Amino acid sequence: MDRRAFLTASKENSNKTSVQSSRTLSGIIPYTGTWTTNEIIHLLKRTMFGAKKADVDFFSSMTMDQAVDYLLNVTPAQTSPLPPIKNYSPTEDLAVAVGETWVYTNPTENGVMGERRASLKSWWIGQMVNQERNILEKLTLMWHNHFVIEMEMVGNAIYDYQYNVTLRKNALGNLKQFVKEITLNTGMLRYLNNYLNTKTAPDENYARELQELFTVGKGADNASPPYTEDDVKQAAKVLTGWIIDGANNVSLFKSTRHDTTNKQFSAFYNNTVITGRLLDDGALEVDDLLTMIFSKEDVSLNICRKIYRWFVYYEIDAAIEQNVIAPLAQIFRDNNYDIKPVLAALFKSEHFFDLVNRGCLIKNPTDVVVGLCREFNVVFPDAANYVSNYDMWNWLNSNCTSMQQQLGDPPNVAGWPAYYQAPQYHQIWINSDTLPKRNIFSDLMVTTGYKKNGITIVIDLTAFAATMSDPGNPNTLVDDVVSYLLRIPLTQQSKDQLKTDILLDGQANDNYWTSAWNTFVSTPSNTTNTNIVKTKLKNLYQYIMRLPEYQLS
């Protein structure tokens, strides 16, 4: 399958129910349609990394409302997992013992931040692989793509970790508080140079991105910002005086570096004047700035578009702007910019479950890599074997990077182009380099797996089949595997062909597979039969994962 054919399949599915100029006229009124395994899988694939059979079974006892509420219910403990640890050479980073966390300790020698950063990224992948039954990991990655830092550019892995903590803590909280915390975060202060922003040498970098990317945006057409260049300059003055205390790894306000003059903003901000202050901790002017920015409806609209493109589809036409984005933005404002009510309204809406919005998103590389491991229940080493676990997670991360999604290091402050670069958007994920790499990854995981230091992670061919409803029935097995791995249904003719060519060895008798499976269950020591069963399952999974439909969510 070449890229053109793949993208054609994706585009055709995104338009399969639309006869109007708009893709769909559905809005955010509550969904009242069927609530079956198919809808549960759609919800889980969009809000988590993959839809595991066990998770689908778990949510099948709930109503749609209950399932969405459960996914959005993240406890404080879940937002604060145990931090990354030193999994690398004991002769490096001598300030920290092997197996202990490094996130609170400054190194005593140079050249260890790369090891720490690799540890952090591996740990982050591990959080995704072992995620709870909620939206937190998918949402944390979305906010990383919104409040971007490039960890290598930041340079200090402790700041990178503190940034990740800020994303997790605020992922489902209040956006205004989120923006304040990300503004004063050590990683962000370093990344966009606001730690260098002083009254005598103002740096406008963060003040610009705060408005252009993080809050106000550039309008529905993404053409030009509604605020002025002078608004950027005035915001930069408000933000002067913040530094990083490297000894304690915290942000601090230095009043001697702060511009205490009054800051006059444009008519876009209703000619607001932020009064210069000196005798405080600097947070009051930041609060005034954010209050002014959040008074503009543009903020709610911009963030809702970002959420929509991440969880639903990239194309926002006039009907979707009117029927989905605007009502969600109103909910955002009505709830004082709390994030959870917006997500709840979206995931419970007729629009989210509209047929046109199923199987239309090209998976990002992290969804491909982590989703495969979760859906096939790939077994990782025991938690006590942290060295091997970090090795495996690092390998998964390297695959994401090779497919052009480098966790922790998007290409620039705007994030990954798949979420903003018109007109291609998510089609950017698929090209002559990345599509073969996706197939190579799935081929490897379904055959030999990845092995290091005597430990292998690989798809257990028969264990996955055994989780299906009736693995001894070739018709049911094909139906089930297709329903869990593909979001676009195959025709009955295609499924019959899969069954005949792969499971029945070209024969017309279903009992051929049933007998082989039953023999495997009763006598797994029958090497010849077991090899036949495993080979056929390998061929079935491999074929399905090489279909263009497998790349869609």
Side-chain angles (χ1 to χ4, degrees):
M1 173 66 69
D2 63 17
R3 180 177 184 273
R4 181 181 300 173
F6 171 81
L7 296 178
T8 297
S10 169
K11 190 67 176 179
E12 286 177 351
N13 188 62
S14 73
N15 293 317
K16 62 179 177 287
T17 65
S18 179
V19 296
Q20 305 95 346
S21 58
S22 173
R23 291 178 63 246
T24 176
L25 299 179
S26 59
I28 64 165
I29 65 172
Y31 174 69
T32 58
T34 58
W35 178 244
T36 66
T37 296
N38 193 39
E39 284 72 40
I40 296 171
I41 292 174
H42 171 63
L43 176 63
L44 296 188
K45 281 183 180 283
R46 293 296 178 89
T47 57
M48 299 176 67
F49 290 101
K52 294 175 63 171
K53 173 68 163 51
D55 292 341
V56 175
D57 291 344
F58 177 83
F59 285 105
S60 65
S61 64
M62 301 182 185
T63 65
M64 182 271 292
D65 276 7
Q66 290 171 335
V68 172
D69 289 344
Y70 193 99
L71 288 164
L72 296 179
N73 182 26
V74 180
T75 67
Q78 291 171 335
T79 64
S80 305
L82 293 174
I85 60 176
K86 178 179 176 179
N87 64 302
Y88 39 92
S89 171
T91 62
E92 299 179 67
D93 203 358
L94 299 179
V96 181
V98 174
E100 299 296 323
T101 187
W102 46 262
V103 304
Y104 310 115
T105 307
N106 284 327
T108 55
E109 71 263 41
N110 295 324
V112 301
M113 283 303 178
E115 295 281 11
R116 289 187 174 193
R117 189 161 49 247
S119 165
L120 172 59
K121 292 182 178 183
S122 297
W123 169 86
W124 193 353
I125 290 287
Q127 300 307 308
M128 297 177 191
V129 170
N130 297 304
Q131 70 181 119
E132 304 280 352
R133 288 188 176 114
N134 59 48
I135 197 175
L136 179 60
E137 293 304 327
K138 203 66 164 289
L139 195 55
T140 298
L141 187 61
M142 189 212 83
W143 288 124
H144 172 45
N145 186 61
H146 180 68
F147 296 115
V148 170
I149 70 167
E150 296 172 64
M151 290 183 174
E152 289 194 24
M153 188 178 294
V154 170
N156 188 316
I158 295 177
Y159 305 163
D160 294 334
Y161 170 72
Q162 292 174 343
Y163 161 81
N164 189 278
V165 169
T166 300
L167 297 184
R168 293 175 178 279
K169 172 188 172 185
N170 293 281
L172 280 160
N174 180 270
L175 181 67
K176 186 177 178 183
Q177 179 63 28
F178 197 169
V179 174
K180 180 177 181 179
E181 292 194 23
I182 207 72
T183 297
L184 306 182
N185 175 264
T186 52
M188 187 62 75
L189 283 172
R190 176 66 72 88
Y191 176 57
L192 289 179
N193 298 331
N194 204 59
Y195 76 107
L196 299 175
N197 184 19
T198 71
K199 62 183 179 182
T200 57
D203 189 301
E204 299 168 6
N205 203 2
Y206 183 75
R208 184 179 309 282
E209 306 307 351
L210 170 64
Q211 295 173 83
E212 180 175 328
L213 296 176
F214 300 164
T215 56
V216 175
K218 296 194 291 184
D221 57 0
N222 201 35
S224 59
Y227 52 86
T228 68
E229 185 64 23
D230 196 53
D231 288 331
V232 173
K233 298 179 186 298
Q234 298 303 310
K237 292 180 181 180
V238 171
L239 295 167
T240 54
W242 291 94
I243 66 167
I244 300 173
D245 174 359
N248 298 297
N249 299 310
V250 295
S251 58
L252 293 177
F253 179 71
K254 289 288 187 181
S255 59
T256 56
R257 296 161 59 98
H258 180 60
D259 187 324
T260 59
T261 63
N262 292 343
K263 291 83 178 176
Q264 171 76 58
F265 289 83
S266 72
F268 173 72
Y269 288 119
N270 300 316
N271 299 309
T272 296
V273 176
I274 293 181
T275 303
R277 296 179 176 89
L278 178 60
L279 299 177
D280 59 46
D281 63 0
L284 291 179
E285 282 196 52
V286 174
D287 288 340
D288 289 346
L289 177 64
L290 295 183
T291 296
M292 180 191 75
I293 289 174
F294 275 78
S295 70
K296 306 304 297 182
E297 293 185 359
D298 304 67
V299 177
S300 59
L301 291 164
N302 180 43
I303 303 303
C304 286
R305 293 183 194 112
K306 294 286 189 76
I307 290 172
Y308 185 88
R309 287 195 168 107
W310 187 270
F311 288 108
V312 184
Y313 192 58
Y314 72 86
E315 182 181 334
I316 300 177
D317 56 33
I320 291 171
E321 182 75 16
Q322 175 182 332
N323 299 333
V324 180
I325 303 302
L328 287 177
Q330 186 65 55
I331 291 171
F332 218 171
R333 298 191 297 274
D334 290 345
N335 285 275
N336 195 32
Y337 282 95
D338 282 345
I339 297 164
K340 187 182 294 186
V342 175
L343 296 175
L346 176 62
F347 296 138
K348 294 179 181 181
S349 71
E350 64 170 9
H351 185 80
F352 180 76
F353 288 101
D354 193 322
L355 290 178
V356 77
N357 288 323
R358 305 188 196 187
C360 62
L361 265 185
I362 296 175
K363 298 175 188 175
N364 64 45
T366 308
D367 233 341
V368 171
V369 171
V370 177
L372 179 148
C373 292
R374 287 179 40 77
E375 290 187 331
F376 280 99
N377 297 302
V378 172
V379 176
F380 286 77
D382 292 336
N385 190 353
Y386 59 86
V387 172
S388 291
N389 270 310
Y390 273 71
D391 285 343
M392 300 305 174
W393 299 334
N394 180 65
W395 179 73
L396 295 180
N397 185 47
S398 69
N399 277 275
C400 296
T401 299
S402 73
M403 298 173 197
Q404 298 181 5
Q405 187 173 36
Q406 187 173 2
L407 185 66
D409 285 281
N412 56 58
V413 69
W416 287 292
Y419 298 101
Y420 69 85
Q421 187 64 64
Q424 302 96 332
Y425 287 100
H426 66 167
Q427 295 178 6
I428 291 172
W429 291 129
I430 300 296
N431 57 50
S432 59
D433 176 61
T434 60
L435 183 56
K437 287 177 177 175
R438 290 176 177 227
N439 291 332
I440 289 169
F441 173 75
S442 58
D443 284 352
L444 182 66
M445 289 300 293
V446 84
T447 51
T448 61
Y450 174 70
K451 183 175 183 177
K452 186 170 184 180
N453 296 329
I455 294 177
T456 303
I457 55 170
V458 65
I459 292 172
D460 188 324
L461 304 167
T462 55
F464 180 71
T467 65
M468 300 295 107
S469 61
D470 186 6
N473 182 325
N475 299 290
T476 304
L477 179 61
V478 171
D479 281 344
D480 287 352
V481 171
V482 166
S483 70
Y484 279 94
L485 299 185
L486 303 182
R487 287 290 72 218
I488 300 178
L490 297 183
T491 65
Q492 189 59 50
Q493 181 180 1
S494 296
K495 290 189 288 187
D496 288 344
Q497 198 69 46
L498 277 178
K499 178 191 73 171
T500 301
D501 292 349
I502 296 177
L503 295 183
L504 303 186
D505 220 14
Q507 302 183 37
N509 185 0
D510 287 359
N511 190 57
Y512 175 84
W513 170 257
T514 302
S515 176
W517 178 260
N518 289 340
T519 300
F520 164 75
V521 172
S522 63
T523 318
S525 59
N526 183 333
T527 305
T528 300
N529 182 77
T530 295
N531 287 339
I532 289 173
V533 168
K534 289 185 174 181
T535 298
K536 292 188 178 305
L537 289 174
K538 174 194 69 82
N539 291 340
L540 177 65
Y541 304 156
Q542 189 172 26
Y543 182 88
I544 290 174
M545 288 191 289
R546 277 185 164 266
L547 292 174
E549 291 88 346
Y550 180 71
Q551 305 302 331
L552 301 174
S553 171

